[in-house]
Amino acid sequence: MEILKDYRVHLLALLVVIMCEFIGKQAIWVITVYPMLYAMIIGGAISLPKLKILTNKNMHHASSVMIVTLMLLIAKLGVSVGPKINEIFNAKLALIFQEVGHFAGTILLGLPLAMMFGMGREAVGATYSVAREPNIAIVADKYGLDSPEGRGVMAMYVCGTLYGAIWMSILASIIARLDIIHPYALAMGAGIGSGSMMAASLAPISDLYPNIAGEIKAYATAANLMSSVLGIYIYILFSLPFASFLYNVLNRFRNKKSGAK
Amino acid sequence: MKILETIFLLILVAIIMAAGNSIGYQINFIDSLQALGMLVIISIIGFLISKLPLFKKLPVILWVSVVAAIMSSPIFPGHNMVVEITDQVSLLAICTPVLAYAGLAIGKDLALFKSISWRIIPVSLAVFSGTFIFAALIAQLTLHWEGII
């Protein structure tokens, strides 16, 4: 019951929430910022070690509570699936194929960039997935966390925790405003397999299309569900080996190029 | 985490969410509490399932979303009520406390972040963008092909 009794963390959370909801959402240029983003930034500022408001223990408690709050978030998203269950079954092929984009997209966009920056095998761990908890476990199991791959996945995990949600919200808001991709497809793109990143990217999309917000939530949740069911197997059998293979191919190319100079 | 503590934490966080929901989205506090109460029930059922021997292998988040999907679909007798009650809480109101707690935990990761090379920042942005953009593009093509959009 230690976490429950940590009143300092809960009171601060309540204050931050009340403050952020009072401010409400604001539009800055094409980006809409939601109370959840200020909540994260204000919370982060409070937790700065220099201010000495929270101890390390308080922060670990906050992190455990976050996992619990995710259940409520997922429950809210989940109840949007039932009423749209028929639509979702009609889109089953799209739901299956878009997962290829989820699982290959990180590697295709991330790995070449990481290698251009001169990263070594760290690039494999860093780009094979969005680096949430299960992904750390998979790398730890195969390479160990002291390996370059392990350092890569840990570094990405920290980045995701720090600004993953903020970035996804900005990105989704810009892409949704371009109006080239249908909101249903965007919704599926938002079903990343990370609760907070999904919620952050979903908010601007459903806000732009209030009439079909129910469908948008349902598609995103179904995609997220697929990511979490298939995730662990695909990461082990496809993503990690593919990232490693692509690294070796690109590395040969990189070595040749630097050898020729 | 212990079962009883998790249940109490769910209730505590639900109250914070209900407060945010009435302040930010003009829904009265009692309706907000009811909506959150329903979500707490769904979460507890999902959480308890995830503690069963055979179901332990999959994450709790998965079981919560399966329970929520079943309770809101036509095969479940009270599905209309479940949907109606939970409609009283905005998704955004739930997100705010999630990220508030995430924010309050950030401090502990800052030292680790400082020890990482700056190069990870652009790479991480590419990775997060990649998964979203590629999946959305493939979904666009296949949804179009299935005749849904």
Side-chain angles (χ1 to χ4, degrees), chain A residues 187-198:
Chain A
M188 289 188 187
I192 298 169
S194 150
S196 57
M197 286 195 221
M198 164 162 86

Side-chain angles (χ1 to χ4, degrees), chain A residues 121-126 128 135-153 235-236 239-245 247-248:
Chain A
R121 292 285 297 178
E122 282 87 356
V124 174
Y128 92 100
N135 306 115
I136 296 176
I138 292 168
V139 172
D141 188 47
K142 189 159 175 189
Y143 298 104
L145 282 183
D146 291 328
S147 63
E149 292 86 350
R151 283 196 296 275
V153 76
Y235 288 131
I236 295 170
S239 301
L240 197 50
F242 177 60
S244 177
F245 166 78
Y247 175 86
N248 291 337

Side-chain angles (χ1 to χ4, degrees), chain A residues 16-251:
Chain A
V16 170
V17 167
I18 290 176
M19 204 156 85
C20 296
E21 292 296 355
F22 261 120
I23 303 171
K25 73 171 179 200
Q26 305 288 337
I28 300 173
W29 182 50
V30 297
I31 303 162
T32 314
V33 256
Y34 295 92
M36 62 171 125
L37 291 186
Y38 335 135
M40 187 158 189
I41 293 165
I42 298 172
I46 293 172
S47 81
L48 285 178
K50 264 187 203 150
L51 296 181
K52 296 205 167 83
I53 299 173
L54 293 175
T55 63
N56 230 351
K57 204 171 194 180
N58 292 138
M59 295 182 212
H60 276 105
H61 289 163
S63 162
S64 313
V65 182
M66 207 278 273
I67 313 277
V68 174
T69 60
L70 278 177
M71 280 191 239
L72 293 166
L73 170 65
I74 297 292
K76 167 68 186 168
L77 286 166
V79 293
S80 62
V81 172
K84 308 286 174 207
I85 198 84
N86 290 325
E87 280 102 317
I88 288 170
F89 275 122
N90 285 336
K92 55 186 173 302
L93 284 179
L95 274 172
I96 293 165
F97 284 118
Q98 58 89 27
E99 286 300 336
V100 178
H102 275 311
F103 292 115
T106 60
I107 303 168
L108 293 177
L109 219 56
L111 192 69
L113 189 70
M115 295 189 68
M116 258 163 51
F117 281 130
M119 282 170 82
R121 292 285 297 178
E122 282 87 356
V124 174
T127 64
Y128 92 100
S129 70
V130 286
R132 299 330 295 159
E133 286 81 358
N135 306 115
I136 296 176
I138 292 168
V139 172
D141 188 47
K142 189 159 175 189
Y143 298 104
L145 282 183
D146 291 328
S147 63
E149 292 86 350
R151 283 196 296 275
V153 76
M154 280 312 293
M156 275 295 292
Y157 175 74
V158 175
C159 293
T161 312
L162 287 186
Y163 53 76
I166 297 174
W167 174 252
M168 288 315 289
S169 162
I170 296 170
L171 178 78
S173 136
I174 293 172
I175 294 187
R177 264 171 211 271
L178 291 178
D179 203 22
I180 23 179
I181 300 178
H182 192 279
Y184 293 173
L186 290 174
M188 289 188 187
I192 298 169
S194 150
S196 57
M197 286 195 221
M198 164 162 86
S201 43
L202 205 52
I205 304 168
S206 47
D207 234 25
L208 264 181
Y209 303 94
N211 300 332
I212 47 168
E215 279 86 351
I216 289 173
K217 271 181 229 151
Y219 280 122
T221 310
N224 199 53
L225 203 56
M226 290 279 268
S227 302
S228 31
V229 177
L230 298 175
I232 199 118
Y233 307 104
I234 294 186
Y235 288 131
I236 295 170
L237 298 174
F238 165 75
S239 301
L240 197 50
F242 177 60
S244 177
F245 166 78
L246 196 64
Y247 175 86
N248 291 337
V249 172
L250 292 175
N251 199 34

Side-chain angles (χ1 to χ4, degrees), chain B residues 64-84:
Chain B
V64 172
S65 56
V66 169
V67 171
I70 292 174
M71 284 179 66
S72 63
S73 64
I75 51 165
F76 185 77
H79 67 101
N80 279 333
M81 196 187 72
V82 172
V83 173
E84 218 171 277

